[in-house]
Each structure stands twice: as C-alpha cells, then as structure tokens.
Amino acid sequence: MRTLDGVGSTPRAGVGTARWYRPDADLTLPDRPDPDSVDVDAELDRYEAARDDVREALREARDRTAERVGEEEAAVFEAHEGFLDDPTIVEDVEAAVRGGTPAAHAVADRFDEAVSQFEGMEGRMAERADDLRDVRDRLLRALLDRESGGSTAADLAALPEGTVLLAERLTPSDTAALDPDAVAGIATVEGGRTSHAAIIARSLAIPAVVGVGEALESVADGETLLVDGEAGEVVVDPNEARRDAVREAGPDAIRERVETADGRPVEVAANVGGEAELGPAAERGADGVGLFRTEFLFVDREAPPSEAEQYEAVTAALSAFDDPKDRVVVRTLDVGGDKPVPYLDLPDEENPFLGRRGVRLSLDEHADLFETQLRALLRAAATEAGDGLAVMFPLVTRVEEVERAVDAVDSVADDLTDEGVAHAVPELGAMVETPAAAFLADALADRLDFLSVGTNDLSQYVMAADRGNDAVAEYHDPLHPAVLRALDHTTAAVEGTDAWVGMCGEMAGDPALTELLVGLGFDELSMSAVTVPDVKRRIRGVDADAAASLAADAVACETRSEVLDVLGLDDRAA
C-alpha cells in the first residue's frame, strides 16, 4: 500500500479499478504541407464549418449538463462558446490560414499559445487553461474528422462500474459525460479544486483528487485504488482497513435531522437550480432546500414563464421532501449582472454587478414579473405541503426595499382573496449578500422571518473583487477577516430575535468549515447536495460552546493566514 498526495476536490472517498484516459492519442496532426499547396479558401470554409459544429455541440452540452448537474455548472459551456468566437482568436487563425497554414494546425497553434498564457498565470486563471483545451480539442476533432463535437475516443459515459478514472487532466466536457453511478473516483496529474472540471465532479458527487503530479503515472491500468477526496490522497492497493473505512463512511445519506454533540440542532439543506436536482437532494438526506433558484424557469426561452408554470415548479419542490419540518426556500427572480435574460431587455450597464439586478429589478422595471411570481408562490403556500415554503428577496441593500417587497406580498394576497383563490403568506426573508444588508441585519430581522447569507456575493462585495474575474480570485475569499466579521455581525444581529439565520453560499458546503459556521451561530446551512451527508456528520461531532470560542478567535484575526492557523487548515484556494 502506498499513498500519493494531491488536492482533494470532492470530499468523498471511493474504491475501484484504475483506468487511464488519454484523449490526445486521436488528435495527432499530420505533417505540415508546403504553404503554397494549401487551398486557403477550402481551409477557411472547413474552419468555419468546424466552428458551427462545435458551437452546436457546446449548446447541446450545456443543455445536457444543466439537466444532469445544474444551471450554474452548465454555464461553463457558455464561456466556452465565448472562446470559440473570441475575435482575436478567430482573426489570428484566419490570418494563419491565409498565410498557408492548414486550419487544424492554425487552431492548434493559436489555442496552444493562449493555453500557455493562461498557464503562466496564478490561481484560477491557470485552471481556465483547461477550458481553452476543451474548445481546442473540439475544433481539432471536427477538423480531423474524429468523433463529432468533441466526444472522446473512449466512451466516458459507458465506463464499467467501479472505475477510478486517471488522466493527465480532465476538461469540463470529459467530466460532465461521466456516470456517477459507475465512476468510483477521479485522480489527475494536473488541475486544481476550482477548475470547472473539478466543480462539475463535485456536483456529480464523484470522489476526486487533482494535482497529484507525475507520481500518478506510476499507477497501471487494473490496479486497485482508493480515492480520498477529503484527505487529498490516492492510495494504491489499499489494505482492508482502509477499504472498510470507506465502506463504513460511504455515501449513505443521513435521513434524520442532526444536532451538535451537546444538543444544538442545525438544519442542513441543499441548493437547487432546477427540478432535476430535487431528487438527488432528497436522496442525500437534505433537510429541504435552502436555496431554490428560480432563474432556470426564465432562461433559454423567448418569454417569461406563466404563473401556472411557476406554481407547478414550486409545488414539485415542496412535494420532493417528506418530512413536514423540511423547508423549501425559494429565491425570487435574481437576474442582471452575470445573469442576462435577453427577452427582458435589461439595461446595458458598464458595471452590471453594481447595477440594476436582483430585487431592484423586481420592484421597478419588472414589477409585473414579480407580481406573477408572488401569485404562484402564495398559491403554492396554500397546498398540502405549503407550510414548508419560504420566500426570500435577493440583493437587498435598503430597509425600504424589504418594506416594498413585503407590501407587494400583502397586495398580491389581497388580490387573491378578492378573486377567491386559495393562498397563504409563507415565511419571508432576505439574502444577505451585500455589506449593506450585513450592517442592517438587525433592522431586516425585525421585519422578516429569516435571513440567508450568500457568501459568494458577500465575499465579492466586501472584498471589491468580481467573483467572475480570475485575475482577482485571491481576493474573493470567504475566510478573509473582513468577510468573517460581516458574517459575525449578521448572526449576532439576529440572535435573540424571532428570526432564524442561514447560509447558502459555497462556504456552507465545506466540511472543514462546519465547526466555524456552527460557532458563528448559523441555524441552517445549505449547499450542493453532494456534501450534505459529510456536513451532517461533522455537525454531530461539534461541541457548540467550543465552536463558539473557535469562531470568536477567528473573527478576532487580522489576516487570512491567522484565520487558517486558528482553524488548523493548510493554505487553500479562495
């Protein structure tokens, strides 16, 4: 038994049989011909046709991934389409072809240059090189008449059960094609935990360790491997004790609600971005849904969804959970910024993340859409499972916004009463994803039933670091003392009120941070369904008083490194 160290990506473990995946074998380019022998017009036509084929394949991949994994994970393929149509890349490839370079060689040359540029950067920018490779390989396969649309030589969707897939690296397309019921684990030579491939692997609940290095090449096909995505280890020929530990921990859901070792209950819910994610969330033992993103109802269509469509989607979510205590928290439409919806004709803003988005649009430009959504929600609240419905408003920055939103709910309730339509007013809450909301938490809690912290946006706004800009990824850090103090201020403001406080950002799903979040006073944690069982197990081992002391020490820190020391964590990606 020998152990290879890497970076844990999915905090789960699995045991299976090693199988190497080497997709580059079918992408060998022919020798370059004499430039004078190249039919320039034909090569330009071939390049344009390949781009059309790949564009169609990317859109199909986006739709498949949205259905199997989720809307947020599927968005990577929209970014890939941006690389495909990047004018600087297109112009350079076309210029090379006009100079006598065959289209396939021109694509390989230009994309390899871009890959090298990204790899020379740090953090998440380096990991985006895999996205460029994905687009490059799709184009090359189309140009070389390999499998259409970037499919791999090996049929990744039909790997035998119990496979541990080994690769130099995996692209998002590779990972999205995997069957999580067949693949026991993933290990790669290169890669980081914030790459899109790693994010998709986590969403699919496939144990994964990335960045193992050249030592992984010593593993042969057919060897038995244990992939421990929490410890960041790949164990070759694990002994029975290690295998038994994996079997005992397993992916088994903890169906019942959990509490800390000293009896403090903490709800563990799932973030859901579409109806296809409801079943997996329930199967993994989620205590309902802590963030039901309604945007999936509005995208990829030419008109907004009807009241009936929204009612059906919400009632389906409520019906997915059997326990009467399970809550489904629906976020009202949150578009703008990085979430454009073409038919809404949103304003073209220089900095849309600081512009008209979230509840601002619902209260003003699109009050009609807000009213329709509220009608559907209030009707759903009157159904048999409707007691578990809660509704929260996104991107709140002012008390007046909350008051107007609550008034809109009351107005819709009055209209439904006049119409004789059965309805009920659910719990109402607000997202805390801006410094303004964090500092106003006491005032918001006085007017609402709950607050839910979105740490992805809160970190972005506290640190003035666009979470979609890889150049400032190191600043987008939920463990920065300023972010921790915003969290502490929020939970402290809610303490002693009738309101409860939850968290639905990525931070909530990191088992290494569970004790910290319990100590900060969160009543509910909502996350990707894959980590629900692990977080529940962590909560059971937490002493709430000791956790509160740990959290106080972390909040008192002045630097990120001090926070990591207090938490006993190694340096980690933001």
Side-chain angles (χ1 to χ4, degrees):
M1 186 173 77
R2 57 195 173 94
T3 300
L4 310 178
D5 293 325
V7 177
S9 172
T10 305
R12 291 186 59 195
V15 177
T17 304
R19 176 169 177 163
W20 274 97
Y21 165 60
R22 303 186 189 277
D24 293 340
D26 68 337
L27 291 180
T28 302
L29 298 180
D31 293 338
R32 291 177 189 256
D34 185 283
D36 293 334
S37 68
V38 173
D39 185 335
V40 171
D41 289 338
E43 289 299 301
L44 287 173
D45 288 343
R46 292 181 66 242
Y47 174 52
E48 190 59 34
R51 288 178 61 219
D52 289 342
D53 288 347
V54 172
R55 187 178 297 105
E56 181 179 354
L58 286 171
R59 291 174 182 175
E60 290 175 355
R62 184 232 169 271
D63 292 343
R64 284 196 309 272
T65 304
E67 183 177 351
R68 293 183 63 234
V69 185
E71 289 287 345
E72 290 205 350
E73 292 81 0
V76 61
F77 295 106
E78 297 171 9
H80 286 195
E81 193 171 342
F83 284 134
L84 179 70
D85 295 327
D86 185 308
T88 61
I89 293 178
V90 173
E91 290 169 7
D92 288 351
V93 170
E94 291 177 343
V97 172
R98 291 191 182 95
T101 301
H105 292 82
V107 165
D109 293 344
R110 182 60 182 88
F111 273 85
D112 288 349
E113 177 187 345
V115 166
S116 296
Q117 290 174 341
F118 273 77
E119 287 182 329
M121 302 177 187
E122 297 181 353
R124 295 183 183 179
M125 288 292 278
E127 293 174 3
R128 296 304 175 258
D130 286 343
D131 297 323
L132 282 162
R133 289 189 185 92
D134 204 338
V135 178
R136 176 200 63 191
D137 292 352
R138 285 178 179 273
L139 282 169
L140 290 178
R141 286 192 173 88
L143 289 165
L144 296 172
D145 296 324
R146 302 296 191 262
E147 295 181 34
S148 174
S151 297
T152 57
D155 189 356
L156 292 176
L159 290 170
E161 188 172 349
T163 295
V164 172
L165 191 66
L166 307 182
E168 180 178 356
R169 56 172 53 86
L170 289 174
T171 66
S173 295
D174 296 332
T175 313
L178 298 175
D179 178 358
D181 293 328
V183 179
I186 293 170
T188 63
V189 176
E190 306 288 346
R193 74 183 304 273
T194 59
S195 70
H196 285 128
I199 291 169
I200 292 172
R202 281 197 292 279
S203 297
L204 289 171
I206 299 175
V209 175
V210 298
V212 178
E214 295 301 322
L216 190 64
E217 297 281 0
S218 67
V219 178
D221 280 332
E223 291 196 79
T224 299
L225 298 182
L226 184 155
V227 177
D228 187 336
E230 184 164 0
E233 295 177 345
V234 177
V235 183
V236 184
D237 192 21
N239 59 30
E240 283 302 316
R242 288 298 300 267
R243 298 188 200 197
D244 288 345
V246 171
R247 283 191 287 266
E248 290 171 8
D252 296 337
I254 299 176
R255 303 288 181 183
E256 64 272 17
R257 290 169 170 265
V258 296
E259 56 187 34
T260 62
D262 49 346
R264 182 186 149 196
V266 180
E267 293 181 25
V268 183
N271 297 336
V272 170
E275 290 186 54
E277 298 176 45
L278 291 168
E283 290 169 6
R284 296 196 176 279
D287 303 330
V289 176
L291 170 60
F292 188 71
R293 303 180 179 97
T294 56
E295 292 75 48
F296 78 95
L297 292 165
F298 290 79
V299 298
D300 296 328
R301 54 190 299 158
E302 296 180 357
S306 66
E307 177 183 330
E309 288 177 277
Q310 296 186 64
Y311 171 83
E312 290 172 4
V314 174
T315 53
L318 290 166
S319 299
F321 297 89
D322 298 330
D323 191 329
K325 295 180 181 178
D326 289 345
R327 182 190 286 115
V328 173
V329 181
V330 176
R331 182 177 67 189
T332 59
L333 182 61
D334 185 15
V335 294
D338 60 338
K339 303 168 186 170
V341 179
Y343 60 80
L344 294 185
D345 193 26
L346 298 177
D348 185 12
E349 298 173 302
E350 185 173 343
N351 192 339
F353 283 100
L354 301 180
R356 308 289 287 178
R357 57 176 300 208
V359 74
R360 299 169 182 176
L361 287 173
S362 293
L363 292 175
D364 293 317
E365 288 95 327
H366 294 291
D368 55 337
L369 292 184
F370 190 44
E371 179 180 345
T372 299
Q373 186 166 48
L374 291 178
R375 286 179 61 91
L377 291 168
L378 267 62
R379 287 176 53 211
T383 61
E384 184 177 352
D387 286 345
L389 181 63
V391 175
M392 64 180 175
F393 311 117
L395 205 78
V396 167
T397 55
R398 298 187 296 181
V399 168
E400 293 89 341
E401 290 170 337
V402 167
E403 292 175 339
R404 289 180 62 194
V406 173
D407 286 345
V409 171
D410 291 340
S411 176
V412 166
D414 290 342
D415 289 342
L416 291 171
T417 298
D418 293 342
E419 296 168 22
V421 176
H423 66 282
V425 176
E427 282 190 311
L428 300 177
M431 293 279 289
V432 176
E433 48 195 332
T434 65
F439 288 127
L440 289 171
D442 54 347
L444 300 181
D446 284 342
R447 292 163 171 81
L448 296 166
D449 301 300
F450 69 96
L451 302 178
S452 183
V453 179
T455 52
N456 300 348
D457 268 337
L458 182 62
S459 298
Q460 167 178 250
Y461 291 123
V462 167
M463 299 303 296
D466 177 358
R467 62 180 174 139
N469 185 344
D470 292 322
V472 292
E474 65 181 290
Y475 290 92
H476 191 258
D477 181 7
L479 292 181
H480 189 282
V483 179
L484 292 184
R485 293 179 188 185
L487 298 178
D488 182 58
H489 190 280
T490 301
T491 55
V494 175
E495 186 176 2
T497 71
D498 292 332
W500 57 269
V501 59
M503 175 184 287
C504 58
E506 286 183 16
M507 188 180 189
D510 189 338
L513 303 181
T514 299
E515 184 178 8
L516 169 67
L517 300 182
V518 171
L520 285 169
F522 284 95
D523 302 302
E524 178 239 42
L525 301 174
S526 187
M527 62 209 65
S528 171
V530 62
T531 53
V532 165
D534 300 289
V535 171
K536 280 193 167 185
R537 290 187 184 93
R538 288 294 182 98
I539 289 171
R540 283 176 165 175
V542 169
D543 177 278
D545 290 337
S549 178
L550 175 79
D553 290 343
V555 169
C557 292
E558 296 180 347
T559 67
R560 181 180 194 270
S561 61
E562 290 176 7
V563 172
L564 294 175
D565 286 342
V566 166
L567 300 181
L569 300 174
D570 295 328
D571 198 13
R572 50 201 279 138

